[in-house]
Each structure stands twice: as structure tokens, then as C-alpha cells.
């Protein structure tokens, strides 16, 4: 094995250990936070803390798996990151946050949908924006009207549901 191969092999466990430590820290924070929730499971034993605990244990399992893969040498070298798609997704999240209350859930989330679609290579925003708004409106109707959960209503939602 050449020196370059040895250095390359040494770098992978370090990256795997850093990622595993981050995953373990995330799992620890989730377990700590779920311990603070009131466990009102009642007769079923399932309460508000149950799902965060399951997710935390799954993330902890991924952390252990990452360590094992890193030491086995199966940890892949990351591909070159393209900045443009990441900026489109971040811009979509920012647009959603800024538009959520003034424009409502459907329009704000439609912008997020269109910008994430752009990040994945769909360049026609004139097509993806209406599709995103329509899908988001369906989600708003399900959550707001059927499940009676509060999501911000904007002009589009008030057009179809004046009391919403």
C-alpha cells in the first residue's frame, strides 16, 4: 500500500467518527428533550415522548453503523458538492418563512416546492410554481379543514374557505 493509500484509508475513519459523533449528539439531545416531555401514554403506553425516543434510537443506531462502516473502510468519499442547488433550497426555505403569514401556507409552500424542484433540475418555474401551490393547497385543506389543525391561511385559502 502506498503512502497516499494509507493516508486516504486513515482519513475515512476520522470522517466517519466525526459524522457518528454528530449523529450520537443529535440522538442524545432528542433523548434528553423527550425525557422532559410529560409521558401521558395512558393505557396504551404511547405518549408525546414515544416517537422522539424511537427516532433518537434509530439515529443512535445509524451512528453505530457509521462507526462500523468507517473502520471497515466502506465509508464512501463524498462527491463534489455543487453550491447552486443548495442555494436554491435555502432560498426556497427563506421564501417560505417570509411568505408564510402574509401569503398563506399554499402560496409560501408552493414557492418552496418550485425552488426545490429548480434545485433538482426542473428549470420551468412557470410550471412548478402552480403545481406546488395546488399540492400545498390540498395539504392545507387536509390539515386545516379535515384534521382541524391550524395552518396560516392566505388569500387563496380564504377564497375557497372564507371562515378559514
Amino acid at each position: 500500500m502506498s503512502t497516499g493509500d494509507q493516508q486516504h484509508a486513515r482519513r475515512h475513519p476520522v470522517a466517519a467518527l466525526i459524522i457518528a459523533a454528530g449523529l450520537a449528539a443529535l440522538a442524545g439531545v432528542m433523548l434528553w428533550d423527550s425525557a422532559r416531555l410529560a409521558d401521558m401514554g395512558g393505557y396504551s403506553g404511547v405518549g408525546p415522548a414515544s416517537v422522539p425516543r424511537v427516532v433518537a434510537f434509530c439515529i443512535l443506531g445509524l451512528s453505530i453503523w457509521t462507526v462500523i462502516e468507517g473502520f471497515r473502510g466502506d465509508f464512501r468519499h463524498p462527491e463534489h458538492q455543487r453550491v447552486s442547488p443548495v442555494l436554491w433550497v435555502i432560498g426556497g426555505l427563506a421564501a417560505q418563512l417570509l411568505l408564510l403569514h402574509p401569503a398563506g401556507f399554499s402560496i409560501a409552500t408552493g414557492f418552496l416546492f418550485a425552488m426545490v424542484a429548480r434545485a433538482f433540475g426542473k428549470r420551468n418555474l412557470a410550471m412548478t410554481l402552480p403545481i406546488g401551490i395546488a399540492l400545498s393547497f390540498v395539504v392545507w385543506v387536509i390539515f386545516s379543514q379535515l384534521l382541524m389543525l391550524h395552518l396560516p391561511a392566505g388569500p387563496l385559502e380564504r377564497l375557497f374557505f372564507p371562515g378559514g
Side-chain angles (χ1 to χ4, degrees):
M1 190 187 301
S2 69
T3 1
D5 290 339
Q6 288 174 345
Q7 184 180 16
H8 184 70
R10 256 188 246 124
R11 181 175 40 195
H12 287 297
V14 172
L17 291 176
I18 291 171
I19 292 170
L23 288 170
L26 177 64
V29 168
M30 288 180 73
L31 286 171
W32 172 76
D33 193 44
S34 68
R36 297 179 346 159
L37 293 173
D39 202 6
M40 298 180 286
Y43 69 91
S44 67
V46 177
S50 301
V51 173
R53 285 183 184 143
V54 169
V55 172
F57 282 115
C58 288
I59 292 174
L60 193 57
L62 289 174
S63 173
I64 293 167
W65 190 2
T66 302
V67 170
I68 293 168
E69 292 296 313
F71 281 116
R72 284 179 46 195
D74 292 342
F75 200 68
R76 299 167 122 206
H77 186 68
E79 296 179 16
H80 176 70
Q81 182 65 50
R82 293 184 2 230
V83 177
S84 176
V86 174
L87 292 177
W88 275 102
V89 171
I90 291 172
L93 288 168
Q96 185 189 31
L97 287 173
L98 292 172
L99 292 173
L100 196 57
H101 288 289
F105 178 82
S106 299
I107 293 173
T109 308
F111 270 94
L112 172 63
F113 178 89
M115 293 177 83
V116 170
R118 171 64 173 88
F120 280 101
K122 285 287 187 191
R123 300 204 182 275
N124 189 357
L125 290 177
M127 180 186 70
T128 56
L129 184 59
I131 291 171
I133 291 173
L135 290 173
S136 301
F137 182 72
V138 169
V139 169
W140 183 86
V141 168
I142 291 169
F143 276 87
S144 180
Q145 302 303 306
L146 296 177
L147 297 176
M148 299 299 174
L149 297 172
H150 177 72
L151 290 175
L156 179 64
E157 292 86 0
R158 286 190 203 100
L159 177 68
F160 291 97
F161 299 95

